[in-house]
Structures are given as structure tokens and as C-alpha cells.
Amino acid sequence: MSSGSVGDIKEKVIEFLHSKKGHIADIEEVTGFLESMSLTKEDAISNLKEISEEGAVSISGDSVFLNSDTYLPRVRCLICDGTVKRDELVPFYRERYYPFVNWGFHRSCLEGGALEEMLGSGMFRIEDGNIFPAYEYGEGRGKNPITIAIKYLRSDEFLYTLELKSADKK
């Protein structure tokens, strides 16, 4: 396959991943998609690795996904619901092994006791300086810990606590 067509293949792979929920797919699914474009399995894997080396996609384990900057240049703050630019983002990761995020926080929203309150709730944890949901918090209850954590951040109880903390600092 000529190197000129790698760009076309990259566009198709990115388009394919955009069509997937979460912008992630199994590597077998992506190579199968490439094989449907008349590539051999070896060429499909080779092209996928080349696209990954360019930084357009990432491969982790058996998954291929779009890099966050490729598909999601801005996210919404889980506390104030305002838009956060990527370079100002404190990310909220769903999974430890996938480096993309669709949620996060303004740094200023985490100051003033919000982070301490979040960690004190037991619904969040910090690992290697990154914020994650505390999976054991929801899984034992048969609920999605991410949903529980986000509902807590939007609750009147959490917002009232933050308001009290900010009033105390004045």
C-alpha cells in the first residue's frame, strides 16, 4: 500500500471511531473494518500502528480509541457546568487505563474545599495525582459509581456545603 493512502486510511479510522460510543472500539473490530477496505490483516495492523505513532489514535490493550484532543477539545466542569479548555482541565477519568476524558473540573472549582469534600464523600479517589470515581462505592450497591459521583456533585447538598465553605473564608 502506498504511503499516500495512509492518510485516507487514517481519515477512515478516525471516522469509524467517531461513530462508536465513547470513541473506542476493539482492535479486532478496527482491523476488520480496515480489511473490509481490501487490506490484508498485516497491512491493517501495520497502518493502525502507523496511525497510532502519528498520535491520531491510541492503542491500549485490545482497544483503539481517539485521543481526547482529537475529538473533544473542550469538556464541561462537573461542578459549575461551564466549559473548560483542555489546557485548564483537571480531568475526571472513568478508567485508569484509558487516557481520554469527557469530564473534568475547572481548577478554581476544586479550590475552596471542593476537592476535600469530594474525597471525604468516599465517591472519589486520587491516584497518581488524577481524580477517579471510587468504583467500590457503587459496584457493591449495583449502581454505576460514575453516575453516583456526578449526581453528588450536582446535588443541592454538595453545592450548599461549598457555599458554606466559601462564606467561612470571607
Side-chain angles (χ1 to χ4, degrees):
M1 175 148 290
S2 70
S3 61
S5 60
V6 172
D8 293 337
I9 292 169
K10 178 171 93 174
E11 298 276 327
K12 296 284 186 193
V13 168
I14 289 172
E15 214 173 275
F16 177 74
L17 291 172
H18 269 291
S19 72
K20 295 294 185 183
K21 184 177 182 180
H23 306 283
I24 187 169
D26 291 333
I27 198 163
E28 292 298 321
E29 192 177 3
V30 178
T31 55
F33 169 73
L34 291 173
E35 288 176 63
S36 73
M37 296 171 47
S38 303
L39 293 175
T40 66
K41 184 151 184 101
E42 294 77 25
D43 284 341
I45 291 170
S46 172
N47 279 283
L48 191 55
K49 285 181 181 177
E50 188 173 335
I51 295 167
S52 173
E53 288 168 3
E54 289 177 12
V57 300
S58 292
I59 301 172
S60 179
D62 292 334
S63 299
V64 179
F65 48 91
L66 289 176
N67 290 330
S68 56
D69 293 337
T70 306
Y71 75 92
L72 200 61
R74 293 177 178 243
V75 297
R76 300 191 82 65
C77 177
L78 289 171
I79 295 174
C80 74
D81 201 32
T83 304
V84 185
K85 293 180 183 176
R86 281 256 166 222
D87 56 350
E88 300 167 1
L89 175 71
V90 176
F92 177 55
Y93 291 96
R94 289 186 296 179
E95 298 286 339
R96 178 177 185 185
Y97 304 103
Y98 299 118
F100 60 90
V101 289
N102 15 8
W103 298 303
F105 309 95
H106 287 107
R107 291 188 196 290
S108 60
C109 286
L110 289 176
E111 295 169 358
L115 183 58
E116 293 82 11
E117 193 68 29
M118 289 164 52
L119 295 173
S121 73
M123 293 179 226
F124 300 87
R125 63 185 167 78
I126 291 185
E127 189 175 312
D128 299 328
N130 296 313
I131 302 171
F132 294 89
Y135 293 103
E136 60 279 358
Y137 188 86
E139 288 174 346
R141 298 179 170 102
K143 300 190 183 230
N144 183 336
I146 298 166
T147 304
I148 293 170
I150 292 172
K151 282 183 180 179
Y152 170 72
L153 292 174
R154 299 285 169 87
S155 72
D156 291 337
E157 173 190 345
F158 180 72
L159 297 174
Y160 180 70
T161 303
L162 293 183
E163 194 174 304
L164 288 176
K165 286 184 182 223
S166 71
D168 287 345
K169 290 190 177 198
K170 289 181 180 176

